[in-house]
Amino acid sequence: MSLEHFIDEAISPWMRDDGPESDIVLSSRIRLARNFADIPYPLIADEGKLEEIHDFFQEKYEHQSFQNHEEFEFISISDLTGVEKHVLVEKHLISPHLVKYSDEAAALISQNEQISVMINEEDHLRIQLYYPGLQLGKALEDAFAFDDWLEEKVDYAFDEMRGYLTCCPTNVGTGLRASVMMHLPGLTMTKQINRIIPAINQLGFVVRGIYGEGSEALGNIFQVSNQITLGKSEEDIVSDLESIVNQLIGHERNARSILMKQSELTLEDRIYRSYGVLEYSRIINATEAARCISNVRLGIDLGIIKHTSRNILNELMVLIQPGFLQHFAKKNLTANERDVLRASLIRERLELEK
Amino acid sequence: MSLEHFIDEAISPWMRDDGPESDIVLSSRIRLARNFADIPYPLIADEGKLEEIHDFFQEKYEHQSFQNHEEFEFISISDLTGVEKHVLVEKHLISPHLVKYSDEAAALISQNEQISVMINEEDHLRIQLYYPGLQLGKALEDAFAFDDWLEEKVDYAFDEMRGYLTCCPTNVGTGLRASVMMHLPGLTMTKQINRIIPAINQLGFVVRGIYGEGSEALGNIFQVSNQITLGKSEEDIVSDLESIVNQLIGHERNARSILMKQSELTLEDRIYRSYGVLEYSRIINATEAARCISNVRLGIDLGIIKHTSRNILNELMVLIQPGFLQHFAKKNLTANERDVLRASLIRERLELEK
């Protein structure tokens, strides 16, 4: 496979567009949790019931289109190889949970990969819509429209008092999880992030690293999302989140400009050295690669590194993941083999910029 | 000052020639300690006596030539600025001691910088001859001839029983210190050097780092020299040292080939990353720079890095020293300023290769 073609596979088409505040906000996502009325939640339903849902979705929505989201592809998770599952997870098109929950798990994904519906995950339906940059309002609007379109054929579990019913009580009500993926190297370098995360948590929002395990945020990429789904309208949830995100953007820009003022040369040194590591290393693990990619992206945003496209962060963060590397190699790889292939793909990708 | 011109100043002309085993042996040096008969050693002589020697040398040898070593320059140390002194020390043309000993200290240096005579150092005369690669025999032969040439005009302190008399008893006899500068990254990486150094010491030879303080060998460059000057002929001292050096060369080549066999990729990674640091860093201290330069030179020797000249190690090791950086900047620099200028000169030097 050529690297160009591989990158095309790694990067969802919608990621190629620019969005508002995209120097800091990589993407916005709306997720709606929905369930069929009169069918038990996947956790307790027997496989026959889940198969019904699986087949219903395949029959009704495969190859359908909704607005500009064309040609939904219907994917039965059990038809996928281990590596293929890995790849969909790394593209955030499905969750790691979907792979484990049921033999009847499936996904309905639009050609532009902007809409993905997970079927038989924790809930019967998990609807996801992705947008580049900060576009939560637009995303919510489209999510409502898409939700209505599905509802033409699906009878949702809905209670006048409690709203949409979900398997886990934390999702009851709106069933809405709105989130944005943010690149926050300035707040990380200045360590302000350690003070900011607890403060945001207290407001009922969650900040966590998107890649990597536990609290470590690989590549300084953080997801900010609402915690509360009940007792607030969808519009309020989204506008509250948007206001938090706008504050974070302000703090991040501020941190970047302080770093530039106080220690421009140190920052330049860090950014260029990271570029050097990406250009020259022969063996690189995911953590170091992510750190370097984050620094280079910051360098691009600050105008220090020129002639390198901004998209490099989004692209490389996906390319360097274990699933993608194995997809590219078309075989399982040891950690060592992945470190070598990762270095080589990064070098090739940078060559494309020249 | 242009970088090319600056490099010309940094690198002694004789360094540009290739010598035997020059992938490992950077240079060979013969040093002879000599004193005038009937004049007390510099440590206890009064300034008037030292002035006599100073003036005698200026009068007799300034602008003279010996064989192909033309146009001796006579330099009174007290005429030099602090930075100029630093530069001569970093080029190994004079010792740090010469600068401190006496107001009558001087140096007689041939145009090709291959011969340097320090005047009024610890002894009245310290004669030094430098050759590229491993050429101890040739160096000794030339040193004898040069010594004879000086002796036509100088009455040496010599004792039939003890040989040449010197200030410090460790130099009595031949007054000879033969040494080679070796690049030993393979023995360092495999940690064999820690076993080898004590073994060589027991044989009456000394191994020590050339740059850097204490036992640390900046850039993996080691000086190997004889300890004993008495009770052995000059020829025996030199041939014993040569045999030690040849063994070290064998061990080093062996270590390199084992590294290539057992972990070629790890080695390549280390070498290329070092190249990346030199090409991209904006701030770099002498220790890190030396380590990277050593790795890159190893890469050149192993054929991993192409299109970069071998001389880069010798050149850059001099260029990155504090004195040279300040000479280039034409002013005193703080440690931070030096780290920035160092990074910039290294980058420019690598650009010259492209």
Side-chain angles (χ1 to χ4, degrees), chain B residues 195-218:
Chain B
R195 196 170 40 74
I196 287 174
I197 290 180
I200 293 181
N201 288 344
Q202 290 203 326
L203 296 172
F205 293 85
V206 184
V207 185
R208 61 178 187 84
I210 262 278
Y211 300 97
E213 318 263 302
S215 62
E216 179 201 26
L218 220 54

PDB file of all heavy atoms in Angstrom, chain B residues 195-218:
ATOM      1  N   ARG B 195      36.858  -1.320  31.616  1.00  0.00           N
ATOM      2  CA  ARG B 195      37.732  -2.429  31.954  1.00  0.00           C
ATOM      3  C   ARG B 195      39.124  -2.186  31.370  1.00  0.00           C
ATOM      4  O   ARG B 195      40.138  -2.523  31.967  1.00  0.00           O
ATOM      5  CB  ARG B 195      37.119  -3.710  31.344  1.00  0.00           C
ATOM      6  CG  ARG B 195      37.633  -5.017  31.853  1.00  0.00           C
ATOM      7  CD  ARG B 195      36.772  -6.181  31.336  1.00  0.00           C
ATOM      8  NE  ARG B 195      36.363  -6.034  29.938  1.00  0.00           N
ATOM      9  CZ  ARG B 195      37.176  -6.199  28.886  1.00  0.00           C
ATOM     10  NH1 ARG B 195      38.434  -6.517  29.057  1.00  0.00           N
ATOM     11  NH2 ARG B 195      36.718  -6.047  27.651  1.00  0.00           N
ATOM     12  N   ILE B 196      39.142  -1.551  30.212  1.00  0.00           N
ATOM     13  CA  ILE B 196      40.403  -1.386  29.485  1.00  0.00           C
ATOM     14  C   ILE B 196      41.302  -0.323  30.113  1.00  0.00           C
ATOM     15  O   ILE B 196      42.512  -0.504  30.221  1.00  0.00           O
ATOM     16  CB  ILE B 196      40.102  -1.057  27.997  1.00  0.00           C
ATOM     17  CG1 ILE B 196      39.582  -2.327  27.299  1.00  0.00           C
ATOM     18  CG2 ILE B 196      41.327  -0.499  27.297  1.00  0.00           C
ATOM     19  CD1 ILE B 196      39.128  -2.098  25.874  1.00  0.00           C
ATOM     20  N   ILE B 197      40.697   0.763  30.563  1.00  0.00           N
ATOM     21  CA  ILE B 197      41.517   1.863  31.095  1.00  0.00           C
ATOM     22  C   ILE B 197      42.400   1.410  32.262  1.00  0.00           C
ATOM     23  O   ILE B 197      43.621   1.636  32.236  1.00  0.00           O
ATOM     24  CB  ILE B 197      40.649   3.090  31.471  1.00  0.00           C
ATOM     25  CG1 ILE B 197      40.120   3.746  30.187  1.00  0.00           C
ATOM     26  CG2 ILE B 197      41.441   4.109  32.282  1.00  0.00           C
ATOM     27  CD1 ILE B 197      39.249   4.973  30.409  1.00  0.00           C
ATOM     28  N   PRO B 198      41.839   0.747  33.285  1.00  0.00           N
ATOM     29  CA  PRO B 198      42.715   0.315  34.394  1.00  0.00           C
ATOM     30  C   PRO B 198      43.799  -0.653  33.925  1.00  0.00           C
ATOM     31  O   PRO B 198      44.936  -0.596  34.404  1.00  0.00           O
ATOM     32  CB  PRO B 198      41.756  -0.390  35.367  1.00  0.00           C
ATOM     33  CG  PRO B 198      40.382   0.017  34.966  1.00  0.00           C
ATOM     34  CD  PRO B 198      40.425   0.398  33.536  1.00  0.00           C
ATOM     35  N   ALA B 199      43.477  -1.529  32.977  1.00  0.00           N
ATOM     36  CA  ALA B 199      44.466  -2.486  32.471  1.00  0.00           C
ATOM     37  C   ALA B 199      45.633  -1.758  31.820  1.00  0.00           C
ATOM     38  O   ALA B 199      46.802  -2.098  32.026  1.00  0.00           O
ATOM     39  CB  ALA B 199      43.808  -3.446  31.476  1.00  0.00           C
ATOM     40  N   ILE B 200      45.321  -0.718  31.039  1.00  0.00           N
ATOM     41  CA  ILE B 200      46.379   0.039  30.366  1.00  0.00           C
ATOM     42  C   ILE B 200      47.203   0.821  31.391  1.00  0.00           C
ATOM     43  O   ILE B 200      48.425   0.908  31.291  1.00  0.00           O
ATOM     44  CB  ILE B 200      45.775   0.974  29.294  1.00  0.00           C
ATOM     45  CG1 ILE B 200      45.177   0.127  28.161  1.00  0.00           C
ATOM     46  CG2 ILE B 200      46.834   1.926  28.739  1.00  0.00           C
ATOM     47  CD1 ILE B 200      44.571   0.932  27.044  1.00  0.00           C
ATOM     48  N   ASN B 201      46.518   1.360  32.386  1.00  0.00           N
ATOM     49  CA  ASN B 201      47.234   2.091  33.434  1.00  0.00           C
ATOM     50  C   ASN B 201      48.284   1.217  34.102  1.00  0.00           C
ATOM     51  O   ASN B 201      49.381   1.671  34.422  1.00  0.00           O
ATOM     52  CB  ASN B 201      46.251   2.602  34.500  1.00  0.00           C
ATOM     53  CG  ASN B 201      45.412   3.757  33.985  1.00  0.00           C
ATOM     54  OD1 ASN B 201      45.752   4.371  32.958  1.00  0.00           O
ATOM     55  ND2 ASN B 201      44.315   4.046  34.657  1.00  0.00           N
ATOM     56  N   GLN B 202      47.946  -0.038  34.315  1.00  0.00           N
ATOM     57  CA  GLN B 202      48.879  -0.951  34.973  1.00  0.00           C
ATOM     58  C   GLN B 202      50.132  -1.210  34.145  1.00  0.00           C
ATOM     59  O   GLN B 202      51.150  -1.644  34.666  1.00  0.00           O
ATOM     60  CB  GLN B 202      48.182  -2.283  35.263  1.00  0.00           C
ATOM     61  CG  GLN B 202      47.121  -2.139  36.357  1.00  0.00           C
ATOM     62  CD  GLN B 202      46.827  -3.445  37.032  1.00  0.00           C
ATOM     63  OE1 GLN B 202      46.864  -4.491  36.389  1.00  0.00           O
ATOM     64  NE2 GLN B 202      46.564  -3.406  38.322  1.00  0.00           N
ATOM     65  N   LEU B 203      50.023  -0.972  32.843  1.00  0.00           N
ATOM     66  CA  LEU B 203      51.175  -1.182  31.966  1.00  0.00           C
ATOM     67  C   LEU B 203      52.063   0.057  31.894  1.00  0.00           C
ATOM     68  O   LEU B 203      53.009   0.108  31.123  1.00  0.00           O
ATOM     69  CB  LEU B 203      50.700  -1.541  30.555  1.00  0.00           C
ATOM     70  CG  LEU B 203      49.922  -2.867  30.439  1.00  0.00           C
ATOM     71  CD1 LEU B 203      49.337  -3.005  29.032  1.00  0.00           C
ATOM     72  CD2 LEU B 203      50.847  -4.046  30.749  1.00  0.00           C
ATOM     73  N   GLY B 204      51.722   1.087  32.676  1.00  0.00           N
ATOM     74  CA  GLY B 204      52.546   2.296  32.668  1.00  0.00           C
ATOM     75  C   GLY B 204      52.133   3.296  31.602  1.00  0.00           C
ATOM     76  O   GLY B 204      52.913   4.166  31.217  1.00  0.00           O
ATOM     77  N   PHE B 205      50.907   3.143  31.126  1.00  0.00           N
ATOM     78  CA  PHE B 205      50.383   4.133  30.180  1.00  0.00           C
ATOM     79  C   PHE B 205      49.136   4.767  30.780  1.00  0.00           C
ATOM     80  O   PHE B 205      48.528   4.213  31.694  1.00  0.00           O
ATOM     81  CB  PHE B 205      50.073   3.478  28.832  1.00  0.00           C
ATOM     82  CG  PHE B 205      51.325   3.016  28.134  1.00  0.00           C
ATOM     83  CD1 PHE B 205      51.884   1.772  28.424  1.00  0.00           C
ATOM     84  CD2 PHE B 205      51.970   3.839  27.220  1.00  0.00           C
ATOM     85  CE1 PHE B 205      53.062   1.361  27.813  1.00  0.00           C
ATOM     86  CE2 PHE B 205      53.143   3.426  26.603  1.00  0.00           C
ATOM     87  CZ  PHE B 205      53.690   2.189  26.905  1.00  0.00           C
ATOM     88  N   VAL B 206      48.773   5.916  30.276  1.00  0.00           N
ATOM     89  CA  VAL B 206      47.645   6.650  30.844  1.00  0.00           C
ATOM     90  C   VAL B 206      46.589   6.862  29.770  1.00  0.00           C
ATOM     91  O   VAL B 206      46.922   7.253  28.648  1.00  0.00           O
ATOM     92  CB  VAL B 206      48.097   8.041  31.356  1.00  0.00           C
ATOM     93  CG1 VAL B 206      46.941   8.767  32.034  1.00  0.00           C
ATOM     94  CG2 VAL B 206      49.276   7.891  32.294  1.00  0.00           C
ATOM     95  N   VAL B 207      45.342   6.602  30.122  1.00  0.00           N
ATOM     96  CA  VAL B 207      44.236   6.917  29.212  1.00  0.00           C
ATOM     97  C   VAL B 207      43.359   7.945  29.907  1.00  0.00           C
ATOM     98  O   VAL B 207      42.946   7.747  31.041  1.00  0.00           O
ATOM     99  CB  VAL B 207      43.368   5.669  28.925  1.00  0.00           C
ATOM    100  CG1 VAL B 207      42.301   6.002  27.886  1.00  0.00           C
ATOM    101  CG2 VAL B 207      44.231   4.515  28.465  1.00  0.00           C
ATOM    102  N   ARG B 208      43.085   9.045  29.219  1.00  0.00           N
ATOM    103  CA  ARG B 208      42.173  10.013  29.837  1.00  0.00           C
ATOM    104  C   ARG B 208      41.384  10.765  28.765  1.00  0.00           C
ATOM    105  O   ARG B 208      41.787  10.823  27.602  1.00  0.00           O
ATOM    106  CB  ARG B 208      42.923  10.991  30.742  1.00  0.00           C
ATOM    107  CG  ARG B 208      43.955  11.827  30.035  1.00  0.00           C
ATOM    108  CD  ARG B 208      44.632  12.806  31.011  1.00  0.00           C
ATOM    109  NE  ARG B 208      45.500  13.715  30.274  1.00  0.00           N
ATOM    110  CZ  ARG B 208      45.098  14.827  29.668  1.00  0.00           C
ATOM    111  NH1 ARG B 208      43.840  15.193  29.702  1.00  0.00           N
ATOM    112  NH2 ARG B 208      45.951  15.599  29.002  1.00  0.00           N
ATOM    113  N   GLY B 209      40.249  11.302  29.191  1.00  0.00           N
ATOM    114  CA  GLY B 209      39.441  12.106  28.277  1.00  0.00           C
ATOM    115  C   GLY B 209      40.216  13.352  27.879  1.00  0.00           C
ATOM    116  O   GLY B 209      40.976  13.894  28.669  1.00  0.00           O
ATOM    117  N   ILE B 210      40.015  13.778  26.644  1.00  0.00           N
ATOM    118  CA  ILE B 210      40.800  14.901  26.149  1.00  0.00           C
ATOM    119  C   ILE B 210      40.081  16.202  26.439  1.00  0.00           C
ATOM    120  O   ILE B 210      40.651  17.180  26.874  1.00  0.00           O
ATOM    121  CB  ILE B 210      40.994  14.736  24.630  1.00  0.00           C
ATOM    122  CG1 ILE B 210      42.350  14.137  24.365  1.00  0.00           C
ATOM    123  CG2 ILE B 210      40.888  16.044  23.892  1.00  0.00           C
ATOM    124  CD1 ILE B 210      43.475  15.125  24.388  1.00  0.00           C
ATOM    125  N   TYR B 211      38.799  16.210  26.165  1.00  0.00           N
ATOM    126  CA  TYR B 211      38.011  17.388  26.496  1.00  0.00           C
ATOM    127  C   TYR B 211      37.222  17.053  27.751  1.00  0.00           C
ATOM    128  O   TYR B 211      37.101  15.901  28.126  1.00  0.00           O
ATOM    129  CB  TYR B 211      37.062  17.731  25.361  1.00  0.00           C
ATOM    130  CG  TYR B 211      37.756  18.034  24.068  1.00  0.00           C
ATOM    131  CD1 TYR B 211      37.894  17.061  23.085  1.00  0.00           C
ATOM    132  CD2 TYR B 211      38.271  19.306  23.813  1.00  0.00           C
ATOM    133  CE1 TYR B 211      38.520  17.341  21.885  1.00  0.00           C
ATOM    134  CE2 TYR B 211      38.900  19.590  22.617  1.00  0.00           C
ATOM    135  CZ  TYR B 211      39.017  18.606  21.655  1.00  0.00           C
ATOM    136  OH  TYR B 211      39.634  18.886  20.472  1.00  0.00           O
ATOM    137  N   GLY B 212      36.685  18.072  28.364  1.00  0.00           N
ATOM    138  CA  GLY B 212      35.834  17.825  29.530  1.00  0.00           C
ATOM    139  C   GLY B 212      36.657  17.683  30.789  1.00  0.00           C
ATOM    140  O   GLY B 212      37.877  17.595  30.746  1.00  0.00           O
ATOM    141  N   GLU B 213      35.971  17.657  31.891  1.00  0.00           N
ATOM    142  CA  GLU B 213      36.618  17.638  33.189  1.00  0.00           C
ATOM    143  C   GLU B 213      36.710  16.217  33.725  1.00  0.00           C
ATOM    144  O   GLU B 213      35.855  15.391  33.458  1.00  0.00           O
ATOM    145  CB  GLU B 213      35.793  18.444  34.197  1.00  0.00           C
ATOM    146  CG  GLU B 213      35.241  19.738  33.675  1.00  0.00           C
ATOM    147  CD  GLU B 213      36.107  20.924  34.047  1.00  0.00           C
ATOM    148  OE1 GLU B 213      36.300  21.121  35.250  1.00  0.00           O
ATOM    149  OE2 GLU B 213      36.606  21.625  33.141  1.00  0.00           O
ATOM    150  N   GLY B 214      37.703  15.973  34.549  1.00  0.00           N
ATOM    151  CA  GLY B 214      37.819  14.707  35.266  1.00  0.00           C
ATOM    152  C   GLY B 214      37.843  13.513  34.339  1.00  0.00           C
ATOM    153  O   GLY B 214      38.492  13.536  33.296  1.00  0.00           O
ATOM    154  N   SER B 215      37.116  12.485  34.721  1.00  0.00           N
ATOM    155  CA  SER B 215      37.230  11.222  34.001  1.00  0.00           C
ATOM    156  C   SER B 215      36.312  11.176  32.782  1.00  0.00           C
ATOM    157  O   SER B 215      36.399  10.291  31.957  1.00  0.00           O
ATOM    158  CB  SER B 215      36.864  10.069  34.931  1.00  0.00           C
ATOM    159  OG  SER B 215      35.524  10.216  35.329  1.00  0.00           O
ATOM    160  N   GLU B 216      35.413  12.147  32.673  1.00  0.00           N
ATOM    161  CA  GLU B 216      34.468  12.169  31.559  1.00  0.00           C
ATOM    162  C   GLU B 216      35.214  12.463  30.252  1.00  0.00           C
ATOM    163  O   GLU B 216      36.017  13.381  30.175  1.00  0.00           O
ATOM    164  CB  GLU B 216      33.440  13.266  31.833  1.00  0.00           C
ATOM    165  CG  GLU B 216      32.397  13.439  30.760  1.00  0.00           C
ATOM    166  CD  GLU B 216      31.757  14.832  30.842  1.00  0.00           C
ATOM    167  OE1 GLU B 216      32.414  15.753  31.339  1.00  0.00           O
ATOM    168  OE2 GLU B 216      30.623  14.959  30.403  1.00  0.00           O
ATOM    169  N   ALA B 217      34.979  11.641  29.240  1.00  0.00           N
ATOM    170  CA  ALA B 217      35.650  11.865  27.958  1.00  0.00           C
ATOM    171  C   ALA B 217      34.659  12.464  26.992  1.00  0.00           C
ATOM    172  O   ALA B 217      33.863  11.767  26.387  1.00  0.00           O
ATOM    173  CB  ALA B 217      36.196  10.560  27.411  1.00  0.00           C
ATOM    174  N   LEU B 218      34.693  13.779  26.871  1.00  0.00           N
ATOM    175  CA  LEU B 218      33.764  14.478  25.996  1.00  0.00           C
ATOM    176  C   LEU B 218      33.950  13.986  24.560  1.00  0.00           C
ATOM    177  O   LEU B 218      35.065  13.962  24.046  1.00  0.00           O
ATOM    178  CB  LEU B 218      34.042  15.983  26.085  1.00  0.00           C
ATOM    179  CG  LEU B 218      32.826  16.905  26.103  1.00  0.00           C
ATOM    180  CD1 LEU B 218      31.858  16.529  27.191  1.00  0.00           C
ATOM    181  CD2 LEU B 218      33.268  18.345  26.262  1.00  0.00           C
TER     182      LEU B 218
END
